């Protein structure tokens, strides 16, 4: 099993450009998440999907939109990229849906995004 | 809101020695879960160990163990027989019970294992 995969691994954008980060998991997990990691900080939740067909905002959703395409795939879109969105983006998944019980989250390898 | 504090930005240890990484958290919840994740230079986030707050027994996973002090809101990670491959950033994380969607992370501790 590949676990959680993310594409692309690296991306450079100019201010104002748009792009979509892709995430897929092959563990038949119900919940999926998008985090960003900035220097000197831990990961912060951008969006999550507790189950197929649902999407909710996390701690830092401004400037992003997320789509749960199907059970396997969860994408994150930047409509008009800004330098403040330069970060490393991680996708994660966990088995349970909705209000689980401390369900462990498994992470992808990350996407390093630079916005000039 | 919950907060997680890792007071040691960097630590180093000699190969085969034991090292303890500190983590404290602030919450008014009684039901919650705590995690330690490892992030090596490859950047992959890897689960090291987890602890349920309702369990009094400290979790262990091979060379990794925790010292969970619920009253003191402390959750330290002990790495025994340190290996070069343990060199990584270590993150402590908190999850409120009944909610599997929000992990709150500390800022991390960079651990270097020296030969």
């Amino acid at each position: 099993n590949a676990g959680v995969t993310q594409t692309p691994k690296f991306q450079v954008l100019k201010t104002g450009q748009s792009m979509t980060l892709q995430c897929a998991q092959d563990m038949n997990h119900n919940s999926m998440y998008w985090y960003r990691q900035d220097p000197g900080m831990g990961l912060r939740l951008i969006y999550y999907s507790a189950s197929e067909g649902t999407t909710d905002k996390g701690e830092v959703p401004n400037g992003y939109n997320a789509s749960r395409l199907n059970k396997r795939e969860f994408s994150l879109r930047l409509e008009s990229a800004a330098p403040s969105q330069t970060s490393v983006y991680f996708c994660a998944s966990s088995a349970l849906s909705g209000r689980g019980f401390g369900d462990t989250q498994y992470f992808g390898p990350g996407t390093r995004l630079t916005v000039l | 809101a919950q907060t997680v504090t890792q007071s040691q930005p960097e630590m180093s240890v000699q190969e085969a020695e034991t090292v303890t990484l500190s983590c404290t958290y602030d919450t008014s919840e009684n039901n919650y879960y705590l995690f330690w994740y490892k992030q090596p230079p490859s950047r992959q986030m890897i689960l090291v160990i987890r602890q349920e707050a309702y369990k009094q027994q400290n979790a262990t996973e091979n060379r990794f163990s925790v010292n969970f002090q619920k009253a003191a809101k402390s959750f330290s990670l002990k790495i025994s027989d340190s290996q070069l491959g343990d060199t990584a950033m270590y993150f402590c994380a908190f999850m409120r019970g009944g909610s599997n969607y929000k992990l709150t992370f500390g800022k991390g501790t960079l651990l270097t294992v020296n030969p």
Side-chain angles (χ1 to χ4, degrees), chain B residues 22-115:
Chain B
S22 300
C23 173
T24 58
Y25 56 94
D26 184 24
T27 184
S28 58
E29 303 283 339
N30 189 51
N31 180 27
Y32 53 87
Y33 304 83
L34 296 163
F35 304 82
W36 278 99
Y37 280 89
K38 165 185 177 181
Q39 187 178 41
S42 67
R43 209 172 58 207
Q44 180 82 43
M45 292 287 288
I46 302 165
L47 177 69
V48 175
I49 200 165
R50 58 173 279 156
Q51 174 80 41
E52 293 83 355
Y54 61 84
K55 290 187 178 179
Q56 292 186 341
Q57 186 173 6
N58 289 326
T60 62
E61 286 288 342
N62 300 313
R63 298 183 294 107
F64 299 88
S65 61
V66 298
N67 183 7
F68 174 49
Q69 301 289 330
K70 191 173 184 178
K73 296 180 183 176
S74 171
F75 183 59
S76 60
L77 175 68
K78 185 172 81 171
I79 305 174
S80 304
D81 185 25
S82 297
Q83 300 175 0
L84 296 178
D86 295 333
T87 292
M89 184 72 84
Y90 287 81
F91 291 96
C92 179
F94 172 99
M95 182 185 290
R96 181 168 58 87
S99 164
N100 72 330
Y101 63 86
K102 183 168 170 52
L103 271 174
T104 300
F105 285 85
K107 293 185 177 182
T109 295
L110 178 60
L111 176 68
T112 302
V113 180
N114 298 308

Side-chain angles (χ1 to χ4, degrees), chain A residues 11-102:
Chain A
Q11 184 71 48
V12 179
L13 292 177
K14 294 180 179 178
T15 297
Q17 287 185 317
S18 62
M19 78 160 297
T20 300
L21 306 180
Q22 305 286 356
C23 173
Q25 52 89 10
D26 63 2
M27 296 178 282
N28 200 34
H29 283 176
N30 285 299
S31 297
M32 298 184 73
Y33 315 83
W34 278 106
Y35 291 87
R36 60 178 288 173
Q37 183 180 29
D38 299 306
M41 300 184 71
L43 279 68
R44 292 181 293 168
L45 183 66
I46 305 171
Y47 268 91
Y48 68 97
S49 172
S51 61
E52 186 178 356
T54 68
T55 304
D56 288 286
K57 296 178 180 179
E59 184 183 356
V60 288
N62 291 344
Y64 307 94
N65 279 298
S67 297
R68 184 74 179 268
L69 305 174
N70 49 55
K71 190 171 185 179
R72 288 188 64 247
E73 298 173 290
F74 189 39
S75 64
L76 183 70
R77 182 160 180 83
L78 288 70
E79 289 291 350
S80 179
S84 61
Q85 295 178 303
T86 293
S87 190
V88 180
Y89 291 84
F90 288 94
C91 178
S93 70
S94 63
L96 299 179
S97 62
R99 294 185 176 275
F101 296 95

